[in-house]
């Protein structure tokens, strides 16, 4: 079940994301970004990429995480299908399963230029996680 939605904004597109844990929140954020790029085109977990990002708090980690996923797509043509996340003090390490972008199978929905820090929010209340982040399109 998708636990995110898109928010229209002037030159950006906002993503509002929910999860029962920090890991689920960040995994849902990856799905939300993928949907912005290739809509609901199916992506198979055929290859694995490993990344590590850092940030001083969860909001910075979210921006760094999505920025790295965007880099993987833009520079390596890699689309995420699933991920295993490990959080540490100021870092996020991920094993991402996905496949190469194929324009025949993954029609491009939107071009994402960058992940912004504009009104970025990550919060946990009563065991529920919520985030908001904007992407420059």
């Amino acid at each position: 079940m998708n636990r995110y939605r898109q928010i229209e904004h002037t030159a950006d597109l906002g993503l509002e994301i929910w999860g029962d844990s920090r890991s689920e929140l960040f995994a849902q954020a990856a799905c939300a970004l993928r949907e912005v790029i290739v809509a609901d085109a199916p992506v198979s977990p055929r290859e694995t990429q490993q990344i590590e990002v850092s940030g001083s708090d969860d909001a910075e980690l979210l921006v760094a995480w999505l920025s790295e996923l965007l880099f993987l797509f833009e520079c390596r043509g890699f689309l995420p299908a699933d991920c295993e996340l490990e959080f540490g003090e100021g870092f996020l390490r991920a094993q991402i399963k996905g496949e190469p972008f194929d324009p025949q199978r993954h029609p491009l929905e939107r071009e994402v230029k960058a992940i912004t820090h504009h009104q970025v929010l990550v919060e946990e209340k009563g065991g529920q996680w919520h985030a908001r982040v904007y992407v420059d399109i």
Side-chain angles (χ1 to χ4, degrees), residues 14-130:
L15 301 173
E16 193 165 17
I17 309 141
W18 298 270
D20 293 330
S21 66
R22 183 164 58 167
S23 289
E24 183 184 356
L25 181 80
F26 278 68
Q28 287 292 318
C31 293
L33 179 62
R34 182 188 67 225
E35 187 173 298
V36 168
I37 297 169
V38 295
D40 59 357
V43 178
S44 301
R46 298 187 311 174
E47 296 179 8
T48 302
Q49 299 278 335
Q50 295 185 17
I51 63 169
E52 185 172 320
V53 296
S54 60
S56 62
D57 58 21
D58 286 332
E60 281 193 17
L61 274 178
L62 181 62
V63 171
W65 164 241
L66 294 177
S67 295
E68 190 66 20
L69 291 175
L70 183 58
F71 170 82
L72 286 175
F73 174 71
E74 291 291 328
C75 296
R76 298 185 185 159
F78 183 80
L79 286 169
D82 192 18
C83 55
E84 294 177 21
L85 306 171
E86 175 191 343
F87 291 89
E89 189 64 38
F91 74 87
L92 162 62
R93 189 174 297 131
Q95 184 171 328
I96 308 160
K97 295 179 181 176
E99 68 177 319
F101 172 68
D102 176 355
Q104 301 290 66
R105 293 184 45 245
H106 311 113
L108 198 59
E109 181 76 11
R110 288 185 189 94
E111 179 185 353
V112 176
K113 296 176 188 172
I115 311 302
T116 75
H117 286 87
H118 175 71
Q119 295 183 349
V120 65
L121 167 76
V122 176
E123 60 186 358
E124 184 268 333
K125 289 183 183 175
Q128 294 294 306
W129 287 78
H130 171 252

